[in-house]
Amino acid sequence: MSKAKLVILDCWVSPFCMRVKIALNEKGLEYEAQAEDLFGGKSELLLSSNPIYKKVPVFLHDGKPLCESIIIVNYIDETWSSPPLLPPCSYGRAQARFWADFIDKKVFDACGNIWRSKGEVPVEAKKEFIEILKQLEEALGDKDYFIGTTFGFVDIILIPLTSWFFAVEKIGGFTVEAECPKFSNWMKRCLQRESVAKVVPPPEKVYESVLMFRKMQGID
Amino acid sequence: MADEDVVLLDFWPSPFGMRVRIALAEKEIKYEYKEEDLRNKSDLLLKMNPIHKKIPVLIHNGKPVCESLVQVQYIDEIWPHKSPLLPTDPYQRAIARFWGDFVDKKIYDLGRKIWSTKGEEQEAAKKEFIECLKLLEGELGNKAYFGGENLGYVDVVLVPFYSWFYAYEKCGNFSIETECPKLIAWAKRCMEKDSVSKSLPDQDKIYDYVLHLKKVFGIE
């Protein structure tokens, strides 16, 4: 067992793990990221800390495990209060939680419907993906970040998923910038933050991994 | 507390709506209940929940909050002085959120498979459903409620499904009490509270509703 106080059981390409690392970086916290081999063999620590789902990320605070990335980010925000990731008022927090839930329910699956398709990508899949981004664009409006003027909870939940968008664009034959320019600007704004840039891998690296997953799943 | 304007757009058999009813009752908040016809959704519902167009929608002083887990947390934060639902300790809060999320991910979909499918698919759903309930029994342990000595977040999130258990049992031809006696004992204990018993419809009424749905969808 690591002597580090804060540990994340991690996988570099997992957008869910990226969420946790960005939150920890925002709070200026030191942590140890233990890389899990999700295909070769999950560690005993992972299997015992997350017996229900056996997935990453798992966050260990003084050895006490927590699972599910949104819950972990919430915990990090409540335990280390500065800077706050959620807005101060209850209604603002409810809005943030609503959008985090929407993102979790919709975005990754919509990506999967594109990158997992065999042969021609169905028009419906592309249409649905763009529609979801447009709904997020509308929620963003003219703001720099999702809930107000500062980078926060919803941005942290969403920005890691965008590291998979290059792969989706290549396979789907479209670009997010052309379809949703406001969203694309928000992405660039977030990626300039050190807490995010340190964590989000280059899109080409993710694309290589996606191609590998396609081979593994017999799609290519 | 100043006069609050609280409206709940709901549908009587919805376990998600029941969660909000219980939370508001625990906090002793007066509200206007509006029954929605889901085949003919009101303009108000479509305006207040344009993203998902679903019930329940909680409208507080004219502002909508959507998604039942978000609503229960919002209610708990806005009216903190009576019946706190989430613990104060951040780690315990994260654990409660984890189990609330587990219930949300599993129980509704498995229950739906139990009443709407047959044969191998139904058997698989029954098996997984019982496994999930056993995991929840494990989390409950020897406590009176998931929240400890009083109703808490996980109790509010889970107990509405108790009103659907009779329908699951009849359709699936099994006894939940035989498999999970502790959980049934917990549910009956919750039902002794007005906030729960007045928020859940009779199990017979839910079963009649399920039979009606089976007819409408042409399910045997």
Side-chain angles (χ1 to χ4, degrees), chain B residues 62-75:
Chain B
K63 297 197 294 189
V65 179
C66 305
E67 293 303 302
S68 60
L69 296 188
V70 177
Q71 289 156 343
V72 171
Q73 289 182 71
Y74 175 78
I75 289 166

Side-chain angles (χ1 to χ4, degrees), chain A residues 65 68 78 91 93 105, chain B residues 64 67 77 91 93 97 105:
Chain A
E68 296 303 298
E78 287 182 7
Y91 189 74
R93 284 208 282 280
K105 277 183 165 98
Chain B
E67 293 303 302
E77 285 184 17
Y91 188 76
R93 288 161 76 84
R97 286 183 175 127
K105 277 181 162 77

Side-chain angles (χ1 to χ4, degrees), chain B residues 113-127 168 171-173 214:
Chain B
K113 281 192 177 147
I114 292 173
W115 68 255
S116 68
T117 68
K118 279 236 153 349
E120 268 180 43
E121 200 181 346
Q122 190 189 49
E123 288 305 309
K126 277 160 64 179
K127 185 166 175 272
Y168 298 156
C171 296
N173 192 28
K214 281 163 81 96

Side-chain angles (χ1 to χ4, degrees), chain A residues 6-22 24-25 31-43 45-47 49-50 54-60 66 69 72 160 198-201 205:
Chain A
L6 305 181
V7 175
I8 173 176
L9 304 185
D10 186 31
C11 174
W12 68 271
V13 75
S14 157
F16 309 102
C17 294
M18 289 177 218
R19 289 169 174 174
V20 178
K21 289 181 282 189
I22 294 169
L24 291 167
N25 289 342
Y31 60 91
E32 182 185 324
Q34 286 185 21
E36 285 284 333
D37 180 356
L38 299 181
F39 304 105
K42 294 174 180 176
S43 71
L45 182 58
L46 173 55
L47 298 175
S49 313
N50 192 357
K54 305 177 177 45
K55 285 182 177 182
V56 291
V58 175
F59 179 64
L60 295 136
L66 283 175
S69 58
I72 296 169
K198 280 199 304 194
V199 161
V200 174
K205 255 193 107 181

Side-chain angles (χ1 to χ4, degrees), chain B residues 202-216:
Chain B
D202 280 340
Q203 300 207 36
D204 289 321
K205 275 191 85 182
I206 294 285
Y207 180 50
D208 284 343
Y209 174 67
V210 167
L211 291 177
H212 161 78
L213 284 179
K214 281 163 81 96
K215 213 178 260 169
V216 164

